[in-house]
Amino acid sequence: MSRFSGGLINRSRALSFTFDKKTYSGHPGDTLASALLANGVRLMGRSFKYHRPRGAFTAGSEEPNALVELRSGARREPNTRATVAELYDGLVATSQNRCPSLAFDAMRINDLFAPFFAAGFYYKTFMWPASFWENVYEPVIRRAAGLGSLSMEADPDAYDKGFLHCDLLVVGGGPAGLSAALTAARAGARVILADEDFRLGGRLLTETLLLDEAPAQNWIGSVEAEFASLPNLRVLPRTTVFGAYDHGIFGAVERTADHLATPGSCVRQTLWRITAKRTVLAAGALERHIPFANNDRPGIMLAGAMRAYANRWAVSAADKIAVFTNNDDGHRTALDLASKGAEIVAVVDTRPEAKPRGDYPFFPGSMVINARGTLGLVSIDISRDGGIERLACGALGVSGGWNPNVHLASHHRARPVWREDLLAFVPGDVGGPPGLRAAGASAGCTSMHAALTDGARVARETLADLGIDARSPDVPKAEDEVVTPHAFWHVPGNGRAWVDFQNDVTVKDIELAHKENMRPIEHLKRWTTLGMATDQGKTANVTALAIMASLTGKSIPETGTTMFRPPYTGVSISVLGGGDKGPHFRPRRLTPTHRWATENGAEFVQAGQWMRAQYYRRSGDAEPRATVDREAAAVRSSVGICDVTTLGKIDVQGADAGAFLERIYCNALASLAVGKVRYGLMLREDGFAYDDGTCARLANDHYVVTSTTANAGLVYRNMEFVRQCLWPDLDVQIISTSESWAQIAVAGPQSRTLLSRIVDNFDLSNEAFPFMACTELTRCSGVRSRLFRVSFSGELAYEIAVPTRYGNALMSLLIELGEDLDVTPYGTEAMGVLRIEKGHAAGAEINGQTTAQMLGLGRMVSRKKDAIGVILSRREGLAADARRLIGLLPVDTKDKLVAGAHLFAVGAQKVTEADQGWITSACHSPHLKCYIALGFLENGAHRMGEVIVAANPLEDSEVSVRVMSPHFVDPEGVRQRA
Amino acid sequence: MRYSGLRVVVEALTGHKGWKPLWRNPEPQSSYDFVIVGGGGHGLATAYYLAKTFREKRIAVLEKGWLGSGNIGRNTTIIRSNYLLPGNEPFYEFSMKLWEGLEQEFNFNAMVSQRGILNLFHSDAQRDAFRRRGNAMLLAGADAKLLDRDAVRRMYPFLNFGNARFPIKGGLLQPRAGTARHDGVAWGYARGADALGVDILQNCEVTGFKIEAGKVTGVETTRGPIAAKKVGVSVAGSSSRVMEKAGMRLPIESHVIQAFVSEGLKLTIDGVLTFGAGHFYISQSDKGGLVFGGDLDGYNTYAQRGNLPVVEDVAESGMAIMPVIGRARVLRNWGGIMDMTMDGSPIIDRTHIDSLYFNGGWCYGGFKATPASGYAFAHLLATDAPHPTANAYRLDRFARGYLIDEKGAGAQPNLH
Amino acid sequence: MLIPHPLLGPRDAQEFTYLGDASLIARPDGTAAGAEEAFFEYTYLRDNPAGTHRELWFHEAGDRSWLVVTRNTLTHEILDAQLASDLALAMCPEARE
């Protein structure tokens, strides 16, 4: 098959490409499908269920058949439509869903057994024996299922996302879209024109119709030139607007580099979130077909597609052409192909009264009733006046009328409206995306003139809403023929007539669904898989529901459509993720001492978004646990330092700051004196424990409160809620200062000595600065600091806060000055050990399911005041809960304890009913030289000394443990007060 | 008619002439013993078990649209019993056991496929929480395995073990969990119930309740009034709207959760996988589509559609954990309305109105509960006593403080 | 979605965090008789309307103000947005005096 003359391809350059390892040649401007047709290749794919040989059925993104795996290696893209894949030099495409080859597919056997695979057959069988489903039937089905395959390698390309704003978004760059964009841009509106194709023009590119008596290309060229001069208009070619979201927001994907062999230094695709005040949907119309027996042969395609291949790409699927139509538009295909030099063997028109429009064999009142040619069309059977005539041809164009493209207009679940005069659904007036109006063929226009004028009119009216005065441009003169549709939905007969090609849904399947009472359109879809293939039934759905309507005797609008959902065409998961993958999935927050920690051998651990030093491994440490033991022991024996900056820090100021905090915390804070710190427990309003921390009063009207690392954002949000929404009359201001202050814990018997070496003229003695004292001071000759005498470890300890930029230097200074004290940096692991030894609750204990009472803090909850959560904490179910935080020691000190084990009375059966609690936290205690644990135990307060069982059936272990106070170290609190 | 492989063969050879409708389209009768409001999975299952197990007669299911048009028609098909709390786990394990014999029981292949669910963890704290949960599952007679990083890698070598922001440390596996063909479940129950004489009334919307002296005596519908001795409401996302007609306010908000399916692909992932450091879960259907989703959009809505930020978040999370799916394309993205309760757990209980029963608040986890929910609701309707595995699902638990809060998120539905 | 912030103009909803029904502003008096019942209703029961809904959004990635947004839960159309503190202040007994 040689090329016709003309077309929008650049014949001066040849592009080499391969399909199934065979090398072919095409030209810039080709799609893979047009180039394959030009090389005489009609067979491009296989169907999903019956593995029927298939060729390109359309010339656009609605393609159901010609799906290939594009590219190779990690860049392989399964299910790529050859009809829109832009040809580039070196393109590699491989056919899919066939074995071993496209021409000889062993799975073709399915087609022979097709009667057994009727709609819904799998719901009726494969049930016995039950175990065979997972072991026999399903593995076979799963191996056979699917179309293309992923490379199973990580996508190597880069992606981006961006935000765009405009007055008017025009979706589609065909006649209506161009005229809408021109109208709006000339009026000065900010306009975005997006089109999925790589050339503007839409159907103007595929027709031979004249504009102002000149080829349409001339007009497109002048419009493009004017577009280039308008700074307020942005054209996005190769861009699919795939979804309509709320408040004028649209999702769009720009395929920045898919027309290149590799993206090079560019991103492959960009996800645009376009916020448009108004939108014109000018997405054209999609042709529908007429099902008849074996209408899926390669070489059979939509008549409009056949015309597009001839006019835009100068190719035809064959030399001998036939057309099967129920409307005048099909005749255009015959005329255009004939003028290009193809031989028209028949134009078969279902309308008895139809007239030929040119000199070709004409079959009015006739039907194509069968097609032959397994791997490519050989001949068709035409039924005329009761007789059957067989004609040889290699390609057949089918036209069953046009469906306006209502997809985006229906994404808000608005139902399209049936227009009997058009025999088609058009966008309805209500319930669509706000500010969106359809124009041109999308709105039901059937002539080029109507589309051009409608685009301008809709743009003008739409902009008037925004107060922008636009005038219609001089729309070029174009044909204005009214196309009268004709209700002829399918050819009756006994053969299999495909409605949905990819999923192999035939007219018989619809009839069977009707017989089995799967009549609602959604049941039809789900029972037969109609419209569930990669094309979402763009060429099938309306035809199918018309057939169902004729079976039920209901009208088409009564039968209704299925739901339109985004995306309009498939969107890669990569681009939806916007390129935030691997380490860039979430931000990484580094502590002020991160550099010091890195230089000093820290291993880091994720704490939410934070990277915290987990421990500082030394060469002498035998194993990670030895490191942790060493660090924890150093705190108990000398002094350790640890970055605790990640704790949430909230500054609370104002005359009513104290009254405000009194409502935030469940415990009493009113009596807190200036210069003092108090432990504070917050409840949720539902009475459960929420978060804990310290509350320091620096001045009469100035407090600094801390939250846990995990809840820093939530606590701040909640405090703003209380301040703004519950007690807005209080004179109080709050701000998060978590990022402003570096905070370092200095803990251990030598901490006072160490700190005394850096503070400026400040008495750190126990008398002057006792346990739970706080102050603002300076250190190192004037650096502003805050000092809190608080202890998480139970040792004499302080936390010193300095402006963030000094954090790293303070860390190295403390290490340097404390060398003689054996100062030891410690990480989160040792911190965890120290707090478990001391019996302090943390995230595993305050996990949102526990109460103050369970934590042993029940008496803290004030009964005098109204604070968040105190009322509902009194409910029966919370008050009656007798589980308490306890400590656990293994009876055999060699036994290991793990968090997540459940607690049982000795001898109890290991069942839910006998479950008495669980271990929340466990660690090896260097202080007690054995494992210790915290946990919640039924009636725990009264079971001290009892031996129970910690069972971990998940890892097949059971340990005898003794119940004790959770305060393993210094229960009287002597050390921290030293 | 009975379905079997033989029947499929015989019909194939005789031109499929013998197939019968899966269910009738009956006209409403003026009164029933039991009226179930809501023809979704739970409503149909309730009617089925009422008729089959509790041998009740004169049962109708009232559905405002087409049967199976609610969340049973748009979920991501996962079945599992991997819960933590004693109020939940025995119930979901009961459901899992019903799933295991379901298809043989109602003679319909709903493609119940026990291919396992793996919940990944990325920190020691998550591992400890999963250990607690896995043990709770075993205590309730379910199955669970704790996998380390190497075992996860052997199972799914294509996950991001290289440069992940949150490295995989292991996972909690429930081998008996898996998926089921969601529509098939609705159809299996509907067909089974219809065969037992249940009237399934489609396009029959309840517009009001007839309540006399504190007792419900029937419902008003778009197809006329229907008297009933007992009325059970099982309407998921529409719970507040329907119960408001009986004058009740519920501890429920309606939220949207989005779901996604990719274009059909050759076998990519065998079981169900969830990401522990972002909002993402995924499985692959028998047709080849990757079925995945993430978090709620987060705002009250009845619109059955969501917005782009969550779409992007789900895709980011997917790419973070499973970057091999990048070049697959999303085929379709939809939203369903979730009846989110204040503690994230469901309600199966009487109401303060005599003979009016409520089943709802399934959040985004209703599909896996379908068999047990139907069974337990039928039990309650037939015997007036809660099923032993469902006796924590009481309406008064919020007032009395017996919450079943798996996540510990508190009284904020969009956090569950 | 776009939230029409009363001070900052239209802002992407992604900058906000959603809490729930705006009735959460009207916290009962914990010292009054019957407080537990009032708190139960306040904390747990919701109208959850299909239609106009007044709800709380926090401009977390913005100016940190809490807004009361009036939005239709069927169409997502936003009818109004106000500073929650203005509305809350108007409800304070002290402010009315």
Side-chain angles (χ1 to χ4, degrees):
Chain A
M1 173 78 228
S2 58
R3 295 255 188 186
F4 297 135
S5 61
L8 300 171
I9 49 170
N10 178 1
R11 289 160 200 267
S12 67
R13 261 190 76 204
L15 303 175
S16 171
F17 69 100
T18 68
F19 178 56
D20 280 344
K21 297 190 177 153
K22 200 169 163 199
T23 304
Y24 301 97
S25 172
H27 298 293
D30 265 325
T31 63
L32 176 58
S34 71
L36 282 171
L37 288 175
N39 283 278
V41 177
R42 285 181 298 177
L43 176 62
M44 298 183 198
R46 290 272 174 174
S47 68
F48 174 72
K49 188 158 77 166
Y50 300 144
H51 289 251
R52 299 266 297 187
R54 294 286 169 78
F57 187 68
T58 73
S61 62
E62 71 272 32
E63 174 61 29
N65 285 340
L67 306 185
V68 299
E69 290 174 359
L70 191 69
R71 303 173 206 270
S72 57
R75 289 199 166 85
R76 186 201 301 168
E77 293 151 43
N79 307 331
T80 301
R81 288 152 300 207
T83 51
V84 292
E86 207 171 332
L87 198 67
Y88 56 85
D89 199 38
L91 179 147
V92 175
T94 313
S95 61
Q96 57 183 35
N97 198 33
R98 84 290 180 270
C99 180
S101 74
L102 191 55
F104 180 82
D105 180 0
M107 292 297 284
R108 178 69 203 282
I109 193 163
N110 284 5
D111 199 33
L112 301 175
F113 289 104
F116 301 97
F117 300 152
F121 81 97
Y122 32 76
Y123 297 113
K124 301 168 180 169
T125 182
F126 304 137
M127 284 174 279
W128 298 96
S131 64
F132 268 39
W133 176 250
E134 279 89 349
N135 297 323
V136 180
Y137 306 128
E138 196 182 39
V140 173
I141 292 170
R142 283 174 79 80
R143 258 201 305 281
L147 296 163
S149 51
L150 291 171
S151 69
M152 298 312 280
E153 292 177 58
D155 186 347
D157 289 336
Y159 297 81
D160 202 0
K161 64 169 109 174
F163 297 77
L164 294 172
H165 299 262
C166 60
D167 296 318
L168 186 70
L169 168 66
V170 180
V171 182
L178 289 176
S179 107
L182 197 59
T183 304
R186 280 183 182 169
R190 289 190 305 159
V191 181
I192 292 172
L193 170 62
D195 192 280
E196 62 177 353
D197 204 340
F198 52 92
R199 285 187 90 113
L200 286 181
R203 283 217 72 79
L204 290 169
L205 304 174
T206 66
E207 304 288 354
T208 49
L209 303 166
L210 301 178
L211 297 183
D212 284 341
E213 277 130 40
Q217 270 307 308
N218 296 10
W219 184 71
I220 297 172
S222 72
V223 169
E224 283 184 310
E226 187 171 349
F227 280 174
S229 73
L230 292 165
N232 52 326
L233 173 121
R234 177 165 182 163
V235 179
L236 294 172
R238 300 185 176 97
T239 300
T240 303
V241 180
F242 63 79
Y245 299 91
D246 278 316
H247 307 154
I249 295 174
F250 292 81
V253 167
E254 183 178 8
R255 289 171 293 276
T256 332
D258 274 353
H259 58 296
L260 307 171
T262 63
S265 57
C266 295
V267 296
R268 177 185 166 221
Q269 298 177 343
T270 302
L271 175 68
W272 292 111
R273 202 187 289 183
I274 303 173
T275 304
K277 289 181 183 157
R278 294 290 183 277
T279 302
V280 172
L281 177 64
L286 300 175
E287 199 169 17
R288 59 195 182 214
H289 66 105
I290 307 170
F292 60 91
N294 295 306
N295 59 331
D296 64 333
R297 306 285 193 203
I300 301 177
M301 60 176 67
L302 291 167
M306 181 177 266
R307 206 149 81 221
Y309 284 117
N311 292 330
R312 178 172 171 182
W313 289 287
V315 293
S316 168
D319 299 322
K320 287 186 167 183
I321 303 291
V323 170
F324 179 31
T325 184
N326 66 7
N327 63 77
D328 287 347
D329 198 54
H331 291 253
R332 279 193 188 142
T333 299
L335 290 172
D336 283 4
L337 270 288
S339 75
K340 293 274 183 183
E343 182 193 343
I344 310 300
V345 300
V347 172
V348 182
D349 195 320
T350 59
R351 300 169 298 175
E353 72 289 356
K355 297 277 177 289
R357 309 182 73 179
D359 182 19
Y360 40 67
F362 185 54
F363 297 73
S366 306
M367 299 177 295
V368 176
I369 58 166
N370 200 0
R372 291 163 203 285
T374 305
L375 297 179
L377 185 65
V378 173
S379 66
I380 55 172
D381 291 350
I382 301 169
S383 151
R384 171 159 66 169
D385 303 334
I388 294 174
E389 212 164 315
R390 182 166 303 173
L391 289 178
C393 61
L396 173 70
V398 183
S399 179
W402 293 79
N403 292 320
N405 194 339
V406 302
H407 214 287
L408 281 178
S410 308
H411 279 190
H412 285 201
R413 308 182 77 246
R415 299 288 183 169
V417 174
W418 180 254
R419 265 180 61 182
E420 195 62 32
D421 60 328
L422 296 172
L423 291 178
F425 286 100
V426 297
D429 290 334
V430 289
L436 178 142
R437 286 182 59 185
S442 278
C445 296
T446 54
S447 76
M448 200 59 82
H449 172 79
L452 288 162
T453 50
D454 199 45
R457 178 184 63 85
V458 171
R460 199 179 63 239
E461 291 176 7
T462 302
L463 290 177
D465 291 353
L466 301 178
I468 298 172
D469 188 17
R471 276 187 286 167
S472 286
D474 300 327
V475 170
K477 270 208 303 282
E479 64 80 23
D480 194 14
E481 192 181 347
V482 176
V483 174
T484 313
H486 178 60
F488 184 90
W489 295 103
H490 75 107
V491 175
N494 285 327
R496 281 182 295 159
W498 271 259
V499 180
D500 182 313
F501 290 96
Q502 192 182 128
N503 272 354
D504 286 315
V505 180
T506 65
V507 174
K508 281 185 174 177
D509 290 317
I510 298 173
E511 289 166 349
L512 183 59
H514 175 259
K515 190 177 175 62
E516 300 193 279
N517 199 15
M518 285 297 194
R519 294 174 192 179
I521 196 70
E522 287 281 356
H523 284 166
L524 170 67
K525 166 188 158 179
R526 292 150 189 263
W527 186 243
T528 63
T529 73
L530 170 94
M532 292 168 77
T534 62
D535 58 323
Q536 297 258 309
K538 288 188 177 66
T539 56
N541 288 348
V542 174
T543 304
L545 76 90
I547 294 170
M548 180 56 90
S550 72
L551 291 167
T552 58
K554 286 185 179 175
S555 70
I556 290 174
E558 276 172 336
T559 305
T561 60
T562 56
M563 199 61 67
F564 291 86
R565 297 284 195 180
Y568 174 65
T569 53
V571 178
S572 75
I573 296 173
S574 276
V575 76
L576 289 175
D580 294 335
K581 59 184 175 181
H584 307 295
F585 168 53
R586 289 284 185 264
R588 243 162 46 110
R589 298 176 76 183
L590 304 181
T591 66
T593 62
H594 190 80
R595 185 158 51 87
W596 185 90
T598 308
E599 290 163 3
N600 287 275
E603 292 285 329
F604 292 95
V605 64
Q606 325 267 350
Q609 292 183 346
W610 291 99
M611 301 296 291
R612 298 189 70 180
Q614 188 174 17
Y615 45 76
Y616 298 82
R617 190 90 182 262
R618 281 189 194 159
S619 52
D621 297 339
E623 34 147 352
R625 208 192 80 195
T627 303
V628 177
D629 284 356
R630 175 180 55 71
E631 291 176 5
V635 172
R636 298 256 179 256
S637 64
S638 55
V639 59
I641 56 176
C642 178
D643 188 326
V644 295
T645 304
T646 62
L647 294 175
K649 297 181 278 292
I650 299 164
D651 215 76
V652 183
Q653 298 194 38
D656 295 325
F660 173 73
L661 292 172
E662 189 71 3
R663 287 161 188 182
I664 295 279
Y665 288 103
C666 71
N667 52 316
L669 279 166
S671 54
L672 182 66
V674 173
K676 290 290 182 193
V677 187
R678 191 171 292 173
Y679 176 77
L681 181 67
M682 291 183 199
L683 306 182
R684 289 188 310 237
E685 194 67 279
D686 67 358
F688 288 83
Y690 179 41
D691 198 73
D692 66 348
T694 58
C695 177
R697 189 170 193 180
L698 295 174
N700 258 334
D701 58 353
H702 186 191
Y703 295 77
V704 173
V705 303
T706 66
S707 71
T708 59
T709 300
N711 285 336
L714 299 176
V715 166
Y716 178 75
R717 183 194 306 163
N718 189 46
M719 284 173 69
E720 283 289 11
F721 174 75
V722 173
R723 187 181 75 87
Q724 295 177 39
C725 300
L726 300 187
W727 288 287
D729 48 331
L730 294 181
D731 175 10
V732 61
Q733 299 298 325
I734 63 176
I735 193 162
S736 166
T737 60
S738 297
E739 280 82 8
S740 313
W741 293 89
Q743 196 145 316
I744 292 175
V746 183
Q750 298 290 350
S751 56
R752 182 181 289 128
T753 314
L754 178 57
L755 273 180
S756 66
R757 296 175 186 177
I758 63 165
V759 296
D760 297 338
N761 306 319
F762 188 81
D763 183 359
L764 282 175
S765 71
N766 201 34
E767 296 69 36
F769 196 69
F771 182 56
M772 298 306 255
C774 66
T775 188
E776 291 186 283
L777 46 63
T778 63
R779 55 129 194 135
C780 304
S781 312
V783 177
R784 195 157 67 97
S785 309
R786 288 171 177 171
L787 192 64
F788 310 89
R789 193 172 155 191
V790 293
S791 177
F792 200 42
S793 57
E795 297 299 322
L796 168 67
Y798 303 81
E799 288 182 13
I800 181 165
V802 294
T804 302
R805 63 186 180 280
Y806 295 112
N808 201 65
L810 177 60
M811 194 76 175
S812 37
L813 184 69
L814 287 168
I815 293 290
E816 190 187 317
L817 295 178
E819 207 180 334
D820 59 317
L821 305 172
D822 192 25
V823 63
T824 303
Y826 65 100
T828 54
E829 287 293 321
M831 187 168 74
V833 169
L834 293 163
R835 72 99 189 162
I836 294 171
E837 286 180 339
K838 181 62 187 167
H840 277 310
E845 288 78 30
I846 306 181
N847 68 353
Q849 299 168 323
T850 56
T851 62
Q853 193 173 260
M854 286 172 71
L855 291 161
L857 304 173
R859 270 183 298 178
M860 278 178 70
V861 182
S862 172
R863 299 205 68 89
K864 294 183 199 135
K865 67 173 182 180
D866 176 15
I868 301 295
V870 302
I871 309 300
L872 290 184
S873 76
R874 297 171 194 155
R875 276 179 296 170
E876 168 195 333
L878 281 73
D881 194 331
R883 293 175 299 177
R884 290 292 179 277
L885 185 67
I886 43 98
L888 294 169
L889 274 177
V891 173
D892 179 343
T893 54
K894 290 193 292 295
D895 280 341
K896 183 177 174 179
L897 302 181
V898 292
H902 287 239
L903 304 176
F904 292 87
V906 173
Q909 228 192 323
K910 304 299 179 293
V911 294
T912 307
E913 294 73 26
D915 193 359
Q916 296 200 323
W918 75 102
I919 294 181
T920 54
S921 305
C923 68
H924 180 263
S925 164
H927 188 75
L928 286 105
K929 311 256 183 307
C930 67
Y931 274 89
I932 60 172
L934 300 176
F936 289 104
L937 177 67
E938 201 60 57
N939 207 21
H942 306 289
R943 296 174 72 173
M944 294 301 148
E946 184 181 333
V947 171
I948 59 172
V949 173
N952 179 21
L954 193 60
E955 289 162 299
D956 210 16
S957 83
E958 258 187 56
V959 178
S960 284
V961 289
R962 191 177 304 279
V963 181
M964 60 172 290
S965 149
H967 310 294
F968 296 94
V969 169
D970 187 26
E972 296 78 28
V974 175
R975 290 164 177 244
Q976 63 197 14
R977 291 191 170 79
Chain B
M1 83 188 295
R2 189 152 183 86
Y3 288 159
S4 67
L6 181 66
R7 170 75 72 172
V8 169
V9 170
V10 169
E11 287 297 333
L13 297 175
T14 56
H16 296 289
K17 293 193 174 71
W19 295 117
K20 297 279 186 299
L22 275 84
W23 44 77
R24 300 165 293 134
N25 287 344
E27 285 302 313
Q29 295 176 26
S30 59
S31 80
Y32 291 93
D33 286 356
F34 295 90
V35 161
I36 309 300
V37 184
H42 292 220
L44 293 166
T46 303
Y48 174 81
Y49 290 114
L50 265 178
K52 177 88 191 277
T53 308
F54 298 93
R55 310 209 167 246
E56 297 289 355
K57 304 269 183 271
R58 294 174 26 87
I59 304 161
V61 177
L62 278 47
E63 167 53 50
K64 72 175 171 183
W66 38 280
L67 73 87
S69 56
N71 293 335
I72 191 89
R74 54 176 65 82
N75 63 76
T76 45
T77 80
I78 296 167
I79 59 173
R80 58 184 170 90
S81 61
N82 57 355
Y83 282 74
L84 169 69
L85 299 175
N88 275 329
E89 179 58 15
F91 172 84
Y92 285 101
E93 178 53 25
F94 174 55
S95 202
M96 183 57 79
K97 292 201 167 80
L98 289 173
W99 281 116
E100 286 173 329
L102 188 62
E103 295 152 302
Q104 289 70 29
E105 174 168 345
F106 64 27
N107 178 232
F108 196 84
N109 184 359
M111 295 171 222
V112 173
S113 178
Q114 295 178 287
R115 283 179 281 117
I117 184 167
L118 179 64
N119 300 121
L120 297 175
F121 59 78
H122 309 265
S123 71
D124 291 352
Q126 273 186 328
R127 179 204 56 211
D128 293 348
F130 277 154
R131 191 186 283 122
R132 181 186 169 205
R133 200 206 297 194
N135 280 323
M137 292 160 64
L138 294 176
L139 299 180
D143 58 320
K145 287 181 179 170
L146 196 65
L147 305 188
D148 63 12
R149 179 180 163 93
D150 287 339
V152 171
R153 192 199 282 260
R154 279 195 297 277
M155 212 171 151
Y156 295 126
F158 49 80
L159 298 180
N160 188 353
F161 288 95
N163 61 350
R165 173 69 182 82
F166 299 102
I168 297 165
K169 292 203 154 189
L172 180 67
L173 176 70
Q174 184 182 24
R176 283 164 63 245
T179 57
R181 168 84 183 107
H182 56 94
D183 288 328
V185 177
W187 299 336
Y189 277 121
R191 178 170 163 271
D194 178 83
L196 293 164
V198 173
D199 281 356
I200 302 170
L201 305 170
Q202 301 185 70
N203 300 307
C204 182
E205 182 171 3
V206 168
T207 53
F209 294 93
K210 223 186 279 168
I211 297 167
E212 290 160 18
K215 178 175 163 56
V216 73
T217 57
V219 291
E220 306 285 346
T221 80
T222 49
R223 295 176 72 174
I226 298 175
K229 291 186 183 156
K230 289 183 175 180
V231 177
V233 177
S234 190
V235 295
S238 300
S239 291
S240 297
R241 272 206 269 195
V242 171
M243 295 312 281
E244 191 262 333
K245 299 182 202 299
M248 286 180 68
R249 285 173 90 215
L250 298 175
I252 286 177
E253 289 180 4
S254 292
H255 285 261
V256 66
I257 195 159
Q258 301 192 58
F260 304 78
V261 65
S262 79
E263 296 176 350
L265 298 164
K266 292 296 178 198
L267 192 57
T268 303
I269 180 165
D270 198 41
V272 186
L273 182 85
T274 75
F275 180 30
H279 301 290
F280 183 73
Y281 63 91
I282 189 167
S283 66
Q284 189 170 16
S285 77
D286 283 348
K287 271 190 81 208
L290 298 174
V291 181
F292 58 99
D295 201 10
L296 298 171
D297 268 42
Y299 42 80
N300 284 53
T301 176
Y302 285 89
Q304 283 192 355
R305 59 186 177 81
N307 275 292
L308 267 177
V310 166
V311 175
E312 293 174 31
D313 181 66
V314 168
E316 276 172 26
S317 301
M319 290 303 291
I321 194 66
M322 202 173 162
V324 299
I325 60 172
R327 293 178 100 90
R329 298 188 194 87
V330 171
L331 170 66
R332 195 170 168 92
N333 163 216
W334 63 97
I337 300 307
M338 307 294 115
D339 34 337
M340 301 296 299
T341 59
M342 290 286 167
D343 63 357
S345 293
I347 297 159
I348 304 177
D349 204 357
R350 284 183 283 251
T351 67
H352 71 278
I353 298 163
D354 271 359
S355 304
L356 179 61
Y357 301 78
F358 176 71
N359 175 349
W362 292 96
C363 303
Y364 43 75
F367 178 65
K368 72 179 93 68
T370 304
S373 168
Y375 195 101
F377 201 32
H379 187 285
L380 179 68
L381 282 159
T383 68
D384 263 310
H387 186 266
T389 64
N391 57 18
Y393 295 152
R394 297 177 56 147
L395 200 44
D396 70 359
R397 71 174 185 268
F398 302 94
R400 295 174 61 222
Y402 292 96
L403 289 311
I404 314 169
D405 187 348
E406 288 273 332
K407 281 195 175 172
Q412 194 180 327
N414 64 356
L415 299 182
H416 287 289
Chain C
M1 288 204 284
L2 296 175
I3 307 281
H5 193 297
L7 305 177
L8 304 173
R11 307 297 310 176
D12 196 301
Q14 220 174 344
E15 296 173 4
F16 293 79
T17 303
Y18 181 83
L19 179 64
D21 195 303
S23 64
L24 287 169
I25 289 180
R27 186 179 183 273
D29 178 358
T31 59
E36 201 173 308
E37 176 66 20
F39 268 83
F40 155 67
E41 290 191 12
Y42 165 77
T43 306
Y44 288 107
L45 298 187
R46 297 287 181 267
D47 290 338
N48 192 24
T52 303
H53 188 230
R54 291 173 77 247
E55 58 200 25
L56 285 158
W57 294 76
F58 180 50
H59 199 197
E60 187 136 36
D63 73 343
R64 302 188 298 280
S65 54
W66 279 94
L67 304 185
V68 172
V69 175
T70 308
R71 189 178 57 93
N72 186 315
T73 58
L74 288 165
T75 63
H76 296 174
E77 184 189 6
I78 293 182
L79 308 164
D80 185 45
Q82 297 186 48
L83 290 177
S85 56
D86 287 351
L87 293 168
L89 209 49
M91 286 162 51
C92 286
E94 295 82 2
R96 282 198 293 270
E97 280 164 12

